[in-house]
Structure formats: structure tokens, C-alpha cells
Amino acid sequence: MLQNLAQDIRTDVREDAHVTLNNIVATYAAIGVTITITGKLPEEKETANAFVSIIREAATNSVRHSHANLIQIVMTRQKANNICKRQITALPLAGQFILAPGLNGIKHRAEN
């Protein structure tokens, strides 16, 4: 079961970003992590796919590094900018914060 869940999480964004996002939410729910989504994906396909990819990576990092059990995603559009924010409920951060490869990947996708 865990192997199937991990495969579902790693699957590339499909034709429909909405379907992929729903699958991510369902996959995390199966392991006891709630992901709430406020707002909607951008209409532009490429931007929507980027949001889903960022949300997937952010959720993975939240669970893996912070042991999150609640991940709140807020998507908004302000003027010409699409904005995606994440807030987690997790264990307190212990030790030094380091921008690891996953976070660098999120930063790179958001900038492009």
C-alpha cells in the first residue's frame, strides 16, 4: 500500500491539473494527512501544472521534514500574479533551517 501511495505522489501532472491535485489530496488523506485547498488553480494550463507540481513538493516536504498532519493551501490571483501559499500544522522546527534540494526546486519552478 505504501509503495502505491508513493507512486501516486510522484506521478507527473496529467492532462488535467485538477484531477492530479485531487489525487494528491486523496493520497495524503489515505495516510492521515489532511490537505485543504482554498481558491482555485489558475486557468492557464502551464501555470496550473506548475502549481500542482509545487503543491506536491510542498506537501511531501511538509510530511517528510515536519511530520505535518494538516496542510493548508491558499491559491489567489492578485492583479496579473498567481499566488500559492502553504501553511502547515506540524511538529516544531528543531535545528538549523537549510534550503534543501526540494525547496530549491520549488523556488526554481515558482520563478519560471
Side-chain angles (χ1 to χ4, degrees), residues 23-101:
N23 287 341
I24 291 168
V25 171
T27 298
Y28 277 94
I31 60 169
V33 177
T34 301
I35 299 178
T36 63
I37 307 287
T38 303
K40 60 181 184 174
L41 288 169
E43 292 179 17
E44 304 84 13
K45 182 178 177 179
E46 187 175 314
T47 306
N49 288 343
F51 267 41
V52 171
S53 183
I54 290 168
I55 290 167
R56 179 193 302 117
E57 184 70 27
T60 300
N61 288 342
S62 298
V63 172
R64 182 176 180 194
H65 301 296
S66 301
H67 307 284
N69 57 7
L70 172 62
I71 302 166
Q72 298 168 303
I73 304 294
V74 178
M75 294 180 281
T76 59
R77 183 167 178 93
Q78 294 179 356
K79 297 184 182 177
N81 298 315
N82 291 297
I83 299 169
C84 184
K85 297 180 181 179
R86 170 198 69 157
Q87 180 175 344
I88 64 170
T89 301
L91 300 174
L93 183 63
Q96 182 181 12
F97 179 78
I98 298 170
L99 193 62

